[in-house]
């Protein structure tokens, strides 16, 4: 902490036990390290312990030393858990998903792990596996193909916006979660199907964590440190603001961006989707990116489909649809309406071969996600 003067000091020992870490995972090693050191008693940082956080009754609320609960098992939560374990904590991760690394259609996006993110993978010993051609696609080794409505295809090398001495890596979210999960030591326990429900302050100034489990049971933990990696609507951040009496300090700082407020949705396509309705041998290559350009007379206006590169040739390709919130595409109410829009907008794409009726129905029923204002990182 003494090397990080930009980090605000907790207002009390109690607040030092509770941190909200909904930041880019690139910054988590620094943030977690600072909060860990402030939460530990003198000399405890070098004293790893052998027991895990235990479930307690409502009357048993004394916090156990060197135990941590991380709310949220996404990339930020798993990265934090790994760093805490390296610093001598026994960690319990609460994750509402029922299983690790699932393929989630509306979270099937890819991360570009740049130099900032690699500060973490370096510290965790994961960069070599991250950089493996079997795991990711290097930013120095892929192209973008523009598929035009007249059937022409133009391939180009994307520009390097920020020159660096090391490449960035494209990796699907599910594959990145698997990479992080594989690195967790035995001192980290992930409770799948456990959803954070409430937090209570204890008489000694600590915190009791209450989670509901998929089997109907309730889990209560009293860690010495709680980290919230529980998303934009973080309950941990909310309680931090309430208990500190300074809610403004726990309100996320955001920056203006043209992307803020845009809606996005994904359409799953085969790994080797056809690119030419007349020639079945012309298919997408997994390690290449594609931009499907619209017909000039597209009925709902100009829209594009974007496909990012993937390392695994069996991994489904996801076409990103990103449009303003009022765009008529979001009002399409049936599979046939979605397929009709795709056929008319992308006549150069064999829509009926690459988008199933079930996938079109899921698009119509699912509803888009929203791009939030970006925080500083």
């Amino acid at each position: 902490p003494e090397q990080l003067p930009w980090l605000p000091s907790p207002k009390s020992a109690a607040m030092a036990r509770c941190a909200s870490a909904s930041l880019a995972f690139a910054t988590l090693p620094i943030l977690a390290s600072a909060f860990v050191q402030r939460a530990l008693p003198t000399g405890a940082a070098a004293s790893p312990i052998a027991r895990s956080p235990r479930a307690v009754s409502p009357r048993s609320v004394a916090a156990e030393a060197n135990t941590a609960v991380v709310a949220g098992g996404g990339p930020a939560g798993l990265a934090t858990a790994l760093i805490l374990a390296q610093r001598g904590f026994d960690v319990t991760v609460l994750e509402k998903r029922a299983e690790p690394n699932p393929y989630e259609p509306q979270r099937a996006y890819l991360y570009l792990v740049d130099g900032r993110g690699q500060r973490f993978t370096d510290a965790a010993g994961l960069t070599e596996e991250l950089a493996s051609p079997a795991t990711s696609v290097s930013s120095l080794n892929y192209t973008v193909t523009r598929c035009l409505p007249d059937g022409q295809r133009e391939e180009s090398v994307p520009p390097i916006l920020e020159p660096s001495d090391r490449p960035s890596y494209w990796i699907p979210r599910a594959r990145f979660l698997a990479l992080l999960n594989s690195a967790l030591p035995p001192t980290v326990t992930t409770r799948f199907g456990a959803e954070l429900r409430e937090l209570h302050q204890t008489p000694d100034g600590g915190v009791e964590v209450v989670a509901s489990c998929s089997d109907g049971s309730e889990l209560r933990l009293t860690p010495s440190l709680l980290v919230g990696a529980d998303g934009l609507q973080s309950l941990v951040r909310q309680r931090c603001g309430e208990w500190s009496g300074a809610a403004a300090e726990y309100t996320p700082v955001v920056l203006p961006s043209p992307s803020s407020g845009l809606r996005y949705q994904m359409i799953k396509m085969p790994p080797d989707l056809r690119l030419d309705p007349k020639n079945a041998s012309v298919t997408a290559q997994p390690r290449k990116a594609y931009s499907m350009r619209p017909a000039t007379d597209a009925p709902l206006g100009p829209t594009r489909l974007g496909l990012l590169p993937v390392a695994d040739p069996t991994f489904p390709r996801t076409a990103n649809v990103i449009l303003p919130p009022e765009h008529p595409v979001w009002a399409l109410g049936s599979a046939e309406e979605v397929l009709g829009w795709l056929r008319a907008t992308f006549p150069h794409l064999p829509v009926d071969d690459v988008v199933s009726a079930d996938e079109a129905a899921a698009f119509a029923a699912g509803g888009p996600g929203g791009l939030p204002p970006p925080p500083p990182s």
Side-chain angles (χ1 to χ4, degrees):
E2 63 276 4
Q3 298 175 359
L4 301 169
W6 47 269
L7 266 177
S9 298
K11 292 185 177 300
S12 67
M15 289 311 300
R17 299 180 184 179
C18 190
S20 177
S22 51
L23 299 174
F25 69 85
T27 62
L28 285 175
I30 299 172
L31 181 69
S33 172
F35 274 110
V36 166
Q37 295 299 332
R38 288 172 177 157
L40 289 175
T42 302
S47 303
I49 59 177
R51 65 183 186 278
S52 298
R54 59 183 174 84
V56 297
S57 70
R59 294 183 180 180
S60 179
V61 294
E64 294 189 30
N66 281 39
T67 61
V69 167
V70 176
L78 295 180
T80 302
L82 184 56
I83 295 298
L84 290 172
Q86 290 177 346
R87 294 180 175 274
F89 275 76
D90 282 354
V91 185
T92 296
V93 178
L94 303 178
E95 173 50 51
K96 63 183 178 181
R97 295 193 318 269
E99 59 183 282
N101 322 324
Y103 177 82
E104 301 171 278
Q106 292 313 312
R107 288 189 173 182
Y109 35 74
L110 281 78
Y111 294 127
L112 182 63
V113 184
D114 61 11
R116 295 173 302 164
Q118 289 170 52
R119 291 171 59 195
F120 164 73
T121 59
D122 288 346
L126 295 175
T127 303
E128 183 177 355
E129 186 174 356
L130 169 69
S132 166
T135 301
S136 67
V137 177
S138 168
S139 61
L140 303 181
N141 191 30
Y142 82 99
T143 60
V144 177
T145 299
R146 295 172 178 82
C147 299
L148 306 176
D150 62 1
Q152 298 297 310
R153 287 177 290 278
E154 301 174 348
E155 187 174 10
S156 62
V157 176
I160 299 176
L161 300 180
E162 295 184 8
S164 172
D165 58 352
R166 62 195 310 183
S168 302
Y169 298 98
W170 288 106
I171 182 170
R173 184 178 190 273
R175 184 66 186 88
F176 191 60
L177 288 174
L179 181 66
L180 293 172
N181 273 309
S182 70
L184 296 177
T187 51
V188 176
T189 300
T190 303
R191 296 292 300 262
F192 291 102
E195 184 170 3
L196 180 65
R197 287 299 183 189
E198 192 49 87
L199 303 171
H200 301 293
Q201 282 187 299
T202 62
D204 66 345
V207 61
E208 182 187 32
V209 180
V210 182
S212 59
C213 302
S214 55
D215 61 3
S217 64
E218 185 178 79
L219 182 67
R220 289 174 178 259
L221 302 168
T222 53
S224 57
L225 177 67
L226 168 65
V227 179
D230 48 341
L232 289 173
Q233 306 303 320
S234 171
L235 178 62
V236 177
R237 183 171 60 240
Q238 179 183 339
R239 292 291 179 266
C240 282
E242 293 171 356
W243 296 343
S244 69
E249 294 188 11
Y250 290 91
T251 300
V253 176
V254 297
L255 302 174
S257 169
S259 68
S260 300
L262 292 176
R263 298 291 183 262
Y264 70 89
Q265 201 161 350
M266 300 175 191
I267 302 175
K268 185 171 70 173
M269 296 183 177
D272 56 348
L273 67 117
R274 286 178 56 189
L275 298 177
D276 190 325
K278 299 178 181 179
N279 187 346
S281 67
V282 180
T283 59
Q285 303 301 303
R287 305 186 75 86
K288 295 183 177 182
Y290 295 87
S291 175
M292 307 296 176
R293 301 304 176 95
T296 55
D297 57 350
L300 298 183
T303 56
R304 299 179 183 181
L305 300 178
L307 292 85
L308 292 170
V310 295
D312 185 349
T314 67
F315 197 82
R317 301 300 292 266
T318 50
N320 297 286
V321 181
I322 304 176
L323 295 166
E326 68 279 359
H327 198 281
V329 162
W330 307 131
L332 298 175
S334 68
E336 188 50 44
E337 287 183 356
V338 172
L339 290 171
W341 161 65
L342 291 171
R343 294 186 197 110
T345 304
F346 307 101
H348 48 303
L349 185 67
V351 170
D352 295 299
D353 290 330
V354 301
V355 181
S356 69
D358 288 344
E359 183 63 21
F363 184 93
L371 298 178
S377 65

